Amino acid sequence: MKSYISKMIRLGIILSIVLGAGYFLYVFNQVDKPQLVNTEGRTFERASVVEIIQDNVQENGSRIGDQVVSVRLSSGTHAGEIITANCPNGMLFGTVCRPGMDVIIISSRVGALHIFTVYNIDRSWPIALYIGIFLILLCLIGGKKGIKSAIALVFTFICFILLFFPMIMKGIGPGIAAVITSSLILTATIYLINGWTRKSCAAVLSSFGGILTAAVAAVIFGYGASLSGYNVSNIEALIFVGQNSSIAVGQILFAGILFASLGAVMDIAMDVSSAIEELRKHTPNLPPSVLFAAGMSVGRDVMGTMATTLILAFFGGGFGHMGA
């Protein structure tokens, strides 16, 4: 009976925290977002290709110009209607339409003129299916910890969208906002997956120390290399955002460096803490000095492979930009 009461009390506390956090995020997200482009009279709608009215394929198999297609709209004020749309021949915008293909349509109205253009393939279902399969496999293979890992992923996404971005839009420095968000993510993730244990406390403290070290290193390197934070691509759009909001654009680069180090820091901290906890559990008589030396040895091994992982991730991201 006592255990049941304690479980209900703990459940009530958790629900209260969740509801309180949800209300806080709702209120905190009441911010004015700067409008980057004029979207008046333009909307994005889902549609399905019905027929290819005019194709753009040439005799040699190449495609030049636009396709003219008829599509059935499935969203917006014209849902259910069949309309005619142009499909540009582009790599980034437009696609090669086929009957039955799901696409995204740009609906543009200028006065009495109403123009429909195929923006791209509608990838909503494949993306949702892939994410769903990933979360299901994570829960099935990982069991209870897999479910907690899935919850941690959702929590991380919520922190980025509903906490970090509103903070910088309210004028809080991106560096400070990144430290706060990173600390909350690593604390919640580690405690959610491993519970309130000594191993978790060690991992959280070491991760927090690693995050602060990364922040200091980024600032020192930026000063030494004369990085102002404006040495990034698409800086013109970022400057426009900074001029129309309270965002300190120059600090976004350093916030990105901090977030990039978060995963690696948590990974190493949890690996070392778990290894030392298992060693202490099976050999409880080992002195702290031996456990510390063992932790340093494990940490060096993990750091070696982690450095390679980070380099490979950097090259992979570079190739991704080249491909885009």
Side-chain angles (χ1 to χ4, degrees):
M1 184 65 182
K2 289 183 179 180
S3 61
Y4 175 77
I5 295 176
S6 62
K7 287 182 179 179
M8 294 302 296
I9 292 175
R10 185 167 59 180
L11 179 61
I13 294 174
I14 293 174
L15 288 176
S16 300
I17 294 175
V18 171
L19 292 175
Y23 178 75
F24 168 77
L25 291 177
Y26 173 76
V27 175
F28 193 69
N29 276 264
Q30 305 304 312
V31 294
D32 294 327
K33 299 179 181 179
Q35 187 176 2
L36 301 182
V37 294
N38 184 14
T39 59
E40 185 178 356
R42 187 178 68 173
T43 59
F44 290 85
E45 310 295 349
R46 289 186 170 89
S48 178
V49 178
V50 176
E51 181 187 1
I52 308 299
I53 299 176
Q54 178 182 324
D55 210 346
N56 59 355
V57 65
Q58 307 300 308
E59 293 182 357
N60 60 0
S62 63
R63 292 184 177 273
I64 300 176
D66 295 353
Q67 284 181 312
V68 180
V69 299
S70 63
V71 299
R72 185 187 304 275
L73 296 173
S74 56
S75 66
T77 56
H78 297 273
E81 296 183 12
I82 295 179
I83 52 93
T84 300
N86 286 341
C87 180
N89 179 33
M91 295 295 181
L92 184 58
F93 304 112
T95 185
V96 177
C97 288
R98 298 184 302 273
M101 176 186 289
D102 293 328
V103 293
I104 299 295
I105 297 291
I106 300 178
S107 173
S108 304
R109 182 184 292 276
V110 181
L113 184 63
H114 203 172
I115 301 174
F116 297 94
T117 307
V118 176
Y119 175 72
N120 215 317
I121 300 173
D122 186 2
R123 299 182 174 89
S124 303
W125 278 109
I127 292 174
L129 181 63
Y130 185 86
I131 294 174
I133 292 174
F134 170 74
L135 293 176
I136 291 172
L137 290 176
L138 182 63
C139 296
L140 291 177
I141 296 174
K144 185 181 294 185
K145 284 200 173 184
I147 296 174
K148 292 180 178 180
S149 299
I151 296 174
L153 285 175
V154 175
F155 178 78
T156 300
F157 180 78
I158 291 174
C159 284
F160 277 120
I161 301 300
L162 301 181
L163 184 63
F164 175 72
F165 291 119
M167 274 198 290
I168 64 175
M169 295 185 70
K170 287 179 178 289
I172 300 175
I176 298 175
V179 171
I180 295 173
T181 306
S182 299
S183 301
L184 183 60
I185 289 173
L186 71 89
T187 302
T189 300
I190 292 176
Y191 279 127
L192 181 63
I193 296 175
N194 295 279
W196 299 90
T197 62
R198 182 163 52 182
K199 176 178 66 176
S200 297
C201 291
V204 167
L205 292 176
S206 56
S207 297
F208 187 70
I211 290 297
L212 291 181
T213 302
V216 173
V219 171
I220 293 176
F221 178 77
Y223 178 79
S226 299
L227 294 177
S228 62
Y230 292 88
N231 318 77
V232 294
S233 59
N234 301 321
I235 187 59
E236 289 81 8
L238 291 175
I239 291 177
F240 178 80
V241 171
Q243 292 173 345
N244 292 273
S245 66
S246 302
I247 300 176
V249 174
Q251 298 182 30
I252 293 180
L253 173 64
F254 303 104
I257 295 174
L258 203 62
F259 284 131
S261 67
L262 177 59
V265 168
M266 279 200 301
D267 191 9
I268 294 178
M270 201 67 248
D271 288 345
V272 176
S273 298
S274 295
I276 300 307
E277 177 65 17
E278 290 299 316
L279 183 61
R280 186 199 64 82
K281 186 185 299 181
H282 290 88
T283 53
N285 295 326
L286 287 178
S289 59
V290 175
L291 293 175
F292 179 80
M296 293 297 294
S297 178
V298 173
R300 293 188 185 100
D301 292 338
V302 175
M303 285 174 60
T305 56
M306 183 57 67
T308 304
T309 301
L310 294 175
I311 293 297
L312 293 174
F314 172 78
F315 277 109
F319 288 134
H321 285 296
M322 291 171 60

